Amino acid sequence: MVEKDYWVVLTLESILAQGFDVWFKGGTSLSKGFGLIERFSEDVDLRIDAGRVSGLVDPVRRWTSDKPAAVRERDAWFDRLATTVSVSGAHVRRDPDGSDRACRSGWLEVRFPSCVPSVAPSPMRPVVLIKAGREDR
C-alpha cells in the first residue's frame, strides 16, 4: 500500500508539474489536498483542464450538450489528455470502459512497474486510476 500511495502522489505531482489546471473532487482532496483525513485511495477524482500545457487546448465549452458533435469533441479531448499526461516510470493510457455515454468523464490508467507485485493485496489494481471529468450539468 505504501508503494501504491507513492505512485498516486507521483502521478498527482507529475500532472501539476506539466502545467495542467487541476481541481480535486471527493476523498482525495480531503486526504492529499488538505490533509484533513487519513485515507488510502487508488482512484483519484479530478477535473483536469489544459492550463499551461503547450499544444493542448480545452475542449469546446459544451460540456452539457448531448449533441453528437459535442460528445465527439469531449471524447477526443480525453484521448488527447491520455496521450499528453506523462508520469515518469509509468505508462498512461485511456481506459476504454471509463467514460459515460456522453463523454463527460474519461478514465486514465497510470500503469507503474511494481517493486513487489507478488505481495500486493489481490483487490488492489496495478494502476493508479485517474477519473477525470466534469459533472457540471
Side-chain angles (χ1 to χ4, degrees):
M1 288 174 50
V2 171
E3 181 185 11
K4 182 69 173 261
D5 195 51
Y6 166 80
W7 283 104
V8 168
V9 172
L10 180 66
T11 297
L12 293 172
E13 191 277 331
S14 296
I15 290 170
L16 291 170
Q18 282 181 268
F20 288 101
D21 288 339
V22 175
W23 290 262
F24 287 93
K25 302 185 300 185
T28 303
S29 65
L30 298 174
S31 174
K32 301 292 183 214
F34 298 103
L36 296 177
I37 62 172
E38 290 186 27
R39 176 182 170 194
F40 176 75
S41 180
E42 286 192 90
D43 302 343
V44 182
D45 297 310
L46 302 172
R47 171 180 165 176
I48 303 175
D49 289 346
R52 302 179 318 276
V53 177
S54 178
L56 186 68
V57 295
D58 289 322
V60 181
R61 308 290 180 220
R62 300 184 305 171
W63 284 96
T64 58
S65 173
D66 286 328
K67 293 185 178 180
V71 172
R72 284 191 303 273
E73 288 170 346
R74 293 190 297 265
D75 189 41
W77 159 251
F78 289 115
D79 283 343
R80 287 190 310 273
L81 186 63
T83 60
T84 305
V85 168
S86 174
V87 179
S88 180
H91 173 72
V92 180
R93 77 172 191 104
R94 183 170 177 193
D95 181 335
D97 299 322
S99 285
D100 59 87
R101 182 183 53 75
C103 285
R104 288 191 182 90
S105 65
W107 294 359
L108 307 181
E109 290 183 349
V110 181
R111 186 167 298 275
F112 52 89
S114 179
C115 295
V116 286
S118 62
V119 297
S122 61
M124 191 177 295
R125 291 187 202 104
V127 299
V128 173
L129 186 62
I130 304 294
K131 294 179 178 178
R134 298 194 188 173
E135 289 80 24
D136 4 330
R137 292 185 186 200

